[in-house]
Amino acid sequence: MEKFIQVVVDHDEKQFHVESEATNETNYDDRVEEAKNNGRDVGAFRSRLDTVEKTIDAAQHEYKGYSHTEESPV
């Protein structure tokens, strides 16, 4: 089972979460889609970087003013 780093971004709350061991079975895509259908401004994507730390640093640069959270917003 392939693992990957997934980033969930909550634009409503200005925060993001980095999931270090997402898989095709355990990723946040369905939950993000459900939240969007309920009017939330959220998104998710796979990181191209090889570590959580690099991904957090890149997300902090990309999403100025957003905070990193240990718990997923969806």
Side-chain angles (χ1 to χ4, degrees):
M1 183 178 321
E2 177 191 357
K3 293 182 180 178
F4 55 90
I5 298 171
Q6 186 173 33
V7 181
V8 180
V9 182
D10 182 342
H11 299 288
D12 294 329
E13 298 295 326
K14 297 199 180 302
Q15 61 185 9
F16 65 93
H17 169 70
V18 177
E19 179 61 37
S20 62
E21 295 190 355
T23 67
N24 286 332
E25 291 77 26
T26 64
N27 67 54
Y28 288 93
D29 293 343
D30 290 340
R31 288 182 266 180
V32 166
E33 196 59 37
E34 182 179 336
K36 284 181 176 181
N37 291 338
N38 289 321
R40 303 262 317 272
D41 186 6
V42 295
F45 61 91
R46 288 184 184 199
S47 174
R48 294 184 184 150
L49 302 173
D50 61 346
T51 69
V52 169
E53 292 78 15
K54 289 179 186 177
T55 300
I56 291 170
D57 287 345
Q60 287 175 327
H61 178 76
E62 180 69 23
Y63 300 103
K64 297 276 189 217
Y66 285 46
S67 61
H68 172 250
T69 179
E70 291 294 324
E71 293 189 29
S72 174
V74 295

